[in-house]
Amino acid sequence: MDQPPAQLAAPGGAAQRAFRADSALTWLFLYRLLLAALLLFLFSYPAEQPWLGSAADAGVARVILGLHGLTILAGGLLIGAQRPSRAHQIQVAIFLDITAYTLLMHLAGGVASGLGLLPAIAVIVGAILMEGRLSLLFASLATLAVMTQQLYSQLYVDTQSGTYTQAGLLGLTYFAVALLAHVMTRRLRETERLAARRKVDIADLSRLNEYVIQRMAMGVVAIDGERRLLLLNNAARRLLGAPDAQPGDSLFLLAPALRDWFLARLRDDADTDQDDSLVQIGDNEVLPSLTLLGDSRVNGALIYLRDQRELVRQAQEMKLAALGRLTASIAHNIRNPLSSVTHAAQLLAESEHIDEADANLLGILRRNALRIDETVTSILDLSRRHAAERTDIDLATWLKDFADEYADNHPDCAGRLRVVTDATPLPLRVDVRHLGQILRNLCDNGFKHGSRGGAPARVELRAGRDGRAGMIQLEVRDSGPGVTPDNRRQIFEPFFTTSTSGTGLGLYIARELAEANGMRLEYIGGGPMEGRFRLTFGPNGMRRPTGNAAA
């Protein structure tokens, strides 16, 4: 049966792989073949050979070179066969070269002819390819060959020139070049190993730097003299609103708002890299800082982008953390007298001797005491917030249970809280305590501000999947007029409220709990029901439905 073409081509492919795998043997083969061809040409033209001895025959030299060329070609075949071993092939090649070059030197007139340098080349090549090993052996063989040739010429050939002194000096030359090649080869190998280690270290350091830069919360942008991107991390892509930005793109085309700021910084020629000016890039407020990478303005630059909203949020968290610790330490000093005041006011309200004016004053006292207690409780909730403990739920089923529980606790809102969900299951993995607190805050806010035109407020919980990304979303809608455009950027800030009786912490706590569970809480205006808060569950909060849930 015929063999497939791949099998027929296998021997040739193996030979090619062998030649590529051992490039040192391949280059040795090419060098020896080229040198043999050059020597054959020199011993063939012109007809008279001035470098041969008077008694020498040019035909004998050509025969020696021809036989030497055949051994070289045979060595090339052995490279493809990969037999014998690499070291043995090199040793045989050097021995044959020393023998052939010694015979040519003899035909040319001995050690005084100048061809005694050819064995030195063979010794150098052997010392380099064997990495210093056997270099003295190659030098010894070359010296022995030269001394043998000189002794033979002195005894049997009267026309040979040169003395034993010249032969001895030539042998010393062989040893010198062998030792020199050995030292240079060893140093070269050490340098190569050091360079290889440094290359690995640099590659690891480069990957480490890229890993660190890509995971920095601050945006980092490096540009060249033409203001094109050299490097940018994921935070910079987010702040620039360019998720597909790549090195080589023009920074000013991606973020034109940075142009005026950058040119102003170059005109100011400020020495520091700090800047207090804000730059509006899309929906992001960015606080940039500039560091030039050279003294000239045509050099590149490094731009740091800090999210102003993130800085404000961190400052708020630090402020609230300090406030929470302070409140926790003095809570008992506030609550104990507060409870006494509330209890005394309640007892006074039950007295038969209280007129209507005093009853109104006691009502004001009790309401404000309750407001103080609510504020202290909200701040304590911030300082005592527990880590998220996620469980698997079906959002549609859970929302119905939540609505029933909320209606039981708020009888005045019964019948005005509606749940709308998709027919398909909505599997999630969340902390139900945090999710319940988020929805309670949003529902309280909806019933408080959702009244319009004298009609009672209505709240709707609508859950489903985003048609584009497939993310599960939960919207809390109320029938109120919604949040004014001037207040939309402040509604999630702590202690911001438009009500005279609120603490301003409900929406802030809701967003903090949402972020702790990998959710995104945002206000979406417009629509028949103006007040709309959307809660989007991230990939970490979604889970694949089980077989029972899918059924």
Side-chain angles (χ1 to χ4, degrees):
M1 183 173 60
D2 294 338
Q3 294 180 348
Q7 295 181 3
L8 293 175
Q16 293 179 359
R17 288 193 297 271
F19 276 99
R20 288 195 299 266
D22 201 336
S23 58
L25 281 178
T26 303
W27 284 111
L28 176 62
F29 165 73
L30 295 176
Y31 148 75
R32 296 176 67 215
L33 188 63
L34 179 62
L35 183 58
L38 179 61
L39 291 175
L40 183 61
F41 176 79
L42 292 177
F43 280 95
S44 300
Y45 302 98
E48 297 182 359
Q49 306 295 328
W51 44 78
L52 288 179
S54 58
D57 186 0
V60 176
R62 288 193 288 270
V63 170
I64 293 175
L65 289 172
L67 294 175
H68 186 53
L70 292 177
T71 60
I72 294 174
L73 293 176
L77 297 177
L78 294 177
I79 296 176
Q82 296 181 319
R83 291 182 182 179
S85 64
R86 177 180 182 274
H88 289 163
Q89 292 189 47
I90 294 175
Q91 294 170 16
V92 171
I94 300 303
F95 295 157
L96 291 177
D97 287 350
I98 292 175
T99 303
Y101 297 154
T102 303
L103 293 177
L104 290 179
M105 181 183 65
H106 176 73
L107 294 176
V111 295
S113 64
L115 294 183
L117 293 178
L118 290 177
I121 297 176
V123 171
I124 294 174
V125 172
I128 293 175
L129 293 181
M130 295 299 293
E131 301 181 0
R133 295 175 297 172
L134 303 181
S135 56
L136 295 181
L137 175 61
F138 296 147
S140 301
L141 291 176
T143 302
L144 182 61
V146 170
M147 297 300 294
T148 302
Q149 183 273 333
Q150 181 64 28
L151 179 62
Y152 176 82
S153 300
Q154 192 73 25
L155 294 177
Y156 299 103
V157 183
D158 296 334
T159 59
Q160 295 289 322
S161 61
T163 63
Y164 288 103
T165 302
Q166 291 176 309
L169 291 176
L170 195 57
L172 290 177
T173 302
Y174 297 155
F175 279 97
V177 297
L179 291 175
L180 181 62
H182 171 71
V183 173
M184 292 183 63
T185 301
R186 185 178 62 183
R187 291 186 177 180
L188 179 61
R189 294 293 182 265
E190 291 177 354
T191 303
E192 288 180 350
R193 286 191 290 268
L194 180 61
R197 289 196 299 269
R198 293 293 182 267
K199 181 179 180 181
V200 173
D201 294 340
I202 292 174
D204 293 341
L205 183 60
S206 176
R207 285 192 293 268
L208 177 61
N209 291 336
E210 182 178 1
Y211 180 85
V212 172
I213 291 174
Q214 290 298 331
R215 281 155 180 79
M216 288 177 61
M218 178 187 298
V220 179
V221 179
I223 59 175
D224 58 15
E226 297 180 355
R227 314 315 175 203
R228 295 187 177 276
L229 297 177
L230 295 176
L231 178 145
L232 75 165
N233 60 358
N234 295 328
R237 289 186 175 92
R238 177 179 57 82
L239 294 175
L240 295 176
D244 298 329
Q246 296 295 332
D249 297 341
S250 175
L251 174 63
F252 294 153
L253 291 180
L254 294 175
L258 281 178
R259 180 192 300 273
D260 297 337
W261 171 85
F262 184 81
L263 296 178
R265 288 286 294 162
L266 290 182
R267 286 194 301 267
D268 296 341
D269 197 17
D271 295 333
T272 61
D273 59 354
Q274 299 297 326
D275 197 347
D276 295 332
S277 58
L278 287 175
V279 178
Q280 187 72 30
I281 304 178
D283 296 333
N284 299 319
E285 287 186 352
V286 177
L287 187 63
S289 58
L290 175 66
T291 300
L292 296 178
L293 299 180
D295 298 333
S296 175
R297 294 187 177 183
V298 299
N299 294 114
L302 192 63
I303 300 176
Y304 297 99
L305 304 176
R306 291 173 290 174
D307 191 350
Q308 176 67 8
R309 293 180 300 182
E310 182 66 19
L311 295 176
V312 172
R313 187 186 67 83
Q314 292 176 0
Q316 291 174 348
E317 287 186 350
M318 294 176 62
K319 184 190 304 182
L320 289 174
L323 182 59
R325 290 192 295 269
L326 175 63
T327 306
S329 64
I330 65 175
H332 66 281
N333 293 324
I334 295 177
R335 279 189 162 176
N336 289 338
L338 185 61
S339 61
S340 300
V341 171
T342 305
H343 184 64
Q346 184 178 2
L347 293 177
L348 284 175
E350 297 175 356
S351 176
E352 299 177 354
H353 304 288
I354 297 298
D355 57 15
E356 184 177 355
D358 292 337
N360 291 334
L361 292 177
L362 287 175
I364 295 174
L365 179 62
R366 294 176 62 185
R367 286 194 300 270
N368 284 276
L370 182 62
R371 182 179 176 184
I372 295 174
D373 183 72
E374 182 182 355
T375 302
V376 173
T377 301
S378 299
I379 297 176
L380 288 177
D381 288 340
L382 285 177
S383 61
R384 297 172 181 173
R385 187 174 61 194
H386 300 287
E389 298 178 0
R390 302 183 179 185
T391 56
D392 296 333
I393 64 169
D394 176 51
L395 183 59
T397 304
W398 185 87
L399 281 178
K400 296 177 182 178
D401 297 337
F402 169 81
D404 295 338
E405 178 186 355
Y406 189 87
D408 293 339
N409 295 328
H410 302 79
D412 55 330
C413 300
R416 292 187 285 127
L417 178 60
R418 181 186 176 198
V419 177
V420 179
T421 61
D422 289 348
T424 57
L426 300 174
L428 289 178
R429 184 174 181 82
V430 296
D431 190 321
V432 292
R433 299 173 306 164
H434 291 173
L435 181 59
Q437 186 174 354
I438 293 172
L439 292 186
R440 279 190 293 272
N441 289 348
L442 295 178
C443 289
D444 291 344
N445 182 80
F447 282 115
K448 186 174 184 179
H449 301 282
S451 177
R452 180 165 53 177
R458 292 180 293 107
V459 175
E460 178 181 281
L461 303 179
R462 181 178 292 270
R465 290 185 180 272
D466 180 13
R468 295 171 299 176
M471 296 292 183
I472 296 179
Q473 293 181 342
L474 172 60
E475 290 188 358
V476 180
R477 306 179 179 183
D478 62 68
S479 56
V483 182
T484 61
D486 295 338
N487 294 333
R488 289 182 182 179
R489 296 176 58 186
Q490 300 175 327
I491 57 176
F492 292 107
E493 294 182 1
F495 303 109
F496 174 80
T497 179
T498 59
S499 174
T500 58
S501 60
T503 63
L505 291 173
L507 292 179
Y508 175 78
I509 294 175
R511 170 169 277 190
E512 290 295 305
L513 291 176
E515 293 180 354
N517 285 267
M519 314 174 205
R520 184 175 71 251
L521 178 61
E522 55 189 340
Y523 176 79
I524 307 295
M529 305 182 75
E530 295 292 341
R532 295 172 58 194
F533 289 89
R534 177 180 295 168
L535 192 63
T536 303
F537 298 88
N540 293 333
M542 299 174 59
R543 65 178 177 88
R544 294 183 178 180
T546 60
N548 295 333

